[in-house]
Amino acid sequence: MRLNDEETAMLAGEMGEVAQTAIRHQIAVGEFFDARDFVPVTQAHIMADTESLGQAGVMWLERLCDAKDGRHLVRVPTITDPRGTDFSKADALGQSAWMLELERRAIDAFVKLGVTMTDTCVNYQTVLAATRGEHVAFGDTGVVIYSNSINGARSNFEGGPSALAAGLTGRTPRYAFHLDEYRRATLRVQVDFVPNGLDEWGALGGVIGRLAGNYWQVPVIEMGEVAPSSDQLKHFGAAMASFGSTALFHIVGVTPEAPTLGEVGGQRLPVRQCIGRSDIEALTRSYALEKTVDVVVFSAPQLSLYELRTLAELCDGRRFKVPLLAVTSPQVKPDADRFGFTERIEAAGGTVLSGMCFYQSYAREMAEAKGWKRLASNSAKLVNILGGYGYVPMLASMTACVDAAETGELQ
């Protein structure tokens, strides 16, 4: 890779041991992807839950902190994805002391490196949305696809060490979605209906993600006149990234880089598939394996204030038979408390959790500790992931999920 003077000094150790470690890692990544050089970034977002880090990952973070040469801090605003617990509710989740201890050690290390513990996968709704053309180094797949597609920013899926390295050096290898040529459409899809609830938007994202099937495909979607909300696009993109490893999509007339089909090169592509309501109904039915429900979870992505408001309205006057968990960000939780949404959800027997994500919080161990197996959610992303953790996940609307929490059955 071509290095400028500052990058050469980093590699030589002239800007500290931590920066040297970070840029060595980034050069290895850049050479793997044939990056010509680095591009400066304005923000980094680290996906580093302790279930994935394990003891070895946390010890690696702690060794970085040991440098203590005054040059070990991140150089650009660097934030975190959801953590592995909500400490105030860990007992109710059946989490063990060793999980919490590992979490505390990871947090201590990140803080010593200057990382801001935002603990959110919806930073584009809560912290600082990246803007069109802004180069960033983001980790969580839902964060990346939303920032690339809806905000028009530029990021690849950065693994945990790569995102932290970007924070420490203020740059990332320039390849893939940082380059114009990789942002052109490669897959043309038509949709002949408008999804209703968030579960349907997620299911549509899942269908298109499966159709795309790999990281390098960029779907361009023709849907006629449609004006989806931020929450709808959040579930749509998160599911597409989960089902298809997709990092960027365009919706003609909606997303900033696709005011017309031709702007992203879509007119030269044949229509790969016309997707109708029957396609998302088929995806939803493929998860409808049982009626009985052990737990209802709203998570992945974390809930916005208005999702919590809707949930609070649905909870009024109910008493839940099975646990209902609603997961939000630390930025939204105080407002949910202030407006009484938390109190209304918990009065029905639900639990509002903050700063974590269900599937990044030792979901397998929670299932064993709590006896949870059959899980209902309105998140297509969560449903797609949890099968791998031993759950029988089921996809339904928020209303149907709340009904299931009350009756114990998903209708």
Side-chain angles (χ1 to χ4, degrees):
M1 289 178 67
R2 198 166 54 238
L3 305 183
N4 64 23
D5 291 344
E6 186 178 17
E7 291 151 2
T8 301
M10 282 188 195
L11 185 60
E14 296 171 13
M15 300 178 72
E17 180 184 342
V18 172
Q20 184 185 42
T21 299
I23 202 161
R24 278 179 177 164
H25 172 85
Q26 291 185 296
I27 290 172
V29 172
E31 289 179 345
F32 180 86
F33 286 106
D34 292 328
R36 297 186 304 270
D37 60 2
F38 285 103
V39 59
V41 296
T42 54
Q43 302 181 51
H45 175 270
I46 306 171
M47 189 175 178
D49 54 280
T50 50
E51 183 178 352
S52 300
L53 282 170
Q55 286 280 353
V58 174
M59 290 172 67
W60 179 76
L61 287 173
E62 291 172 333
R63 282 199 298 274
L64 290 179
C65 303
D66 287 342
K68 294 178 181 174
D69 60 359
R71 297 179 294 182
H72 61 289
L73 301 177
V74 293
R75 285 176 165 76
V76 296
T78 303
I79 63 175
T80 52
D81 211 33
R83 306 306 313 158
T85 190
D86 177 335
F87 286 103
S88 67
K89 305 284 177 54
D91 287 345
L93 297 173
Q95 294 181 318
S96 303
W98 68 265
M99 299 174 188
L100 307 186
E101 175 60 22
L102 198 61
E103 192 63 49
R104 289 191 179 93
R105 285 172 52 194
I107 293 170
D108 286 347
F110 279 129
V111 169
K112 288 176 181 174
L113 293 168
V115 174
T116 306
M117 303 303 299
T118 54
D119 306 345
T120 184
C121 62
V122 293
N123 55 308
Y124 49 84
Q125 288 185 322
T126 57
V127 181
L128 187 65
T131 57
R132 184 171 184 179
E134 186 176 357
H135 291 273
V136 294
F138 285 172
D140 182 285
T141 56
V143 170
V144 171
I145 194 170
Y146 192 103
S147 301
N148 271 335
S149 310
I150 312 305
N151 299 134
R154 297 184 171 218
S155 180
N156 291 307
F157 289 160
E158 298 272 6
S162 294
L164 177 57
L168 291 165
T169 65
R171 63 208 70 216
T172 194
R174 191 196 308 265
Y175 68 95
F177 298 104
H178 290 284
L179 301 171
D180 289 341
E181 57 265 37
Y182 284 89
R183 302 181 69 85
R184 306 285 286 174
T186 63
L187 176 71
R188 183 177 174 185
V189 177
Q190 293 180 340
V191 177
D192 69 1
F193 72 103
V194 177
N196 290 319
L198 299 178
D199 57 310
E200 288 197 358
W201 275 98
L204 179 59
V207 169
I208 296 174
R210 279 182 173 166
L211 193 63
N214 73 72
Y215 182 65
W216 305 102
Q217 290 275 27
V218 179
V220 59
I221 301 147
E222 298 168 276
M223 296 184 69
E225 288 195 16
V226 62
S229 70
S230 175
D231 281 335
Q232 290 167 338
L233 290 168
K234 176 176 71 173
H235 280 265
F236 177 69
M240 196 186 304
S242 178
F243 281 82
S245 298
T246 312
L248 168 66
F249 66 85
H250 304 292
I251 301 178
V252 177
V254 174
T255 55
E257 294 175 52
T260 65
L261 185 64
E263 286 289 323
V264 290
Q267 83 288 356
R268 61 182 168 76
L269 301 170
V271 176
R272 171 77 174 275
Q273 186 165 327
C274 185
I275 297 173
R277 185 174 292 281
S278 62
D279 294 295
I280 67 165
E281 290 173 348
L283 183 140
T284 301
R285 278 198 306 274
S286 71
Y287 291 103
L289 301 176
E290 298 193 32
K291 278 194 171 182
T292 304
V293 170
D294 298 322
V295 62
V296 172
V297 178
F298 298 110
S299 176
Q302 293 171 327
L303 277 68
S304 70
L305 186 64
Y306 291 101
E307 288 177 279
L308 285 166
R309 184 181 70 172
T310 301
L311 180 57
E313 291 168 352
L314 290 170
C315 289
D316 287 342
R318 307 224 196 199
R319 191 62 199 168
F320 296 142
K321 181 181 292 184
V322 301
L324 180 150
L325 308 179
V327 184
T328 190
S329 67
Q331 298 79 39
V332 166
K333 178 65 164 46
D335 276 345
D337 295 345
R338 188 160 60 99
F339 297 135
F341 303 154
T342 303
E343 183 179 5
R344 290 162 65 185
I345 294 166
E346 297 193 339
T351 304
V352 179
L353 300 153
S354 171
M356 58 176 278
C357 177
F358 187 81
Y359 78 87
Q360 293 175 322
S361 303
Y362 304 93
R364 187 183 301 280
E365 288 81 358
M366 282 197 289
E368 292 170 356
K370 306 297 292 186
W372 295 336
K373 186 172 181 66
R374 295 157 296 196
L375 178 149
S377 178
N378 73 337
S379 165
K381 173 180 179 177
L382 188 68
V383 167
N384 183 47
I385 291 171
L386 282 180
Y389 284 83
Y391 286 83
V392 178
M394 292 169 274
L395 179 63
S397 68
M398 180 179 279
T399 300
C401 287
V402 173
D403 289 344
E406 185 178 32
T407 65
E409 291 191 348
L410 189 62
Q411 300 297 326

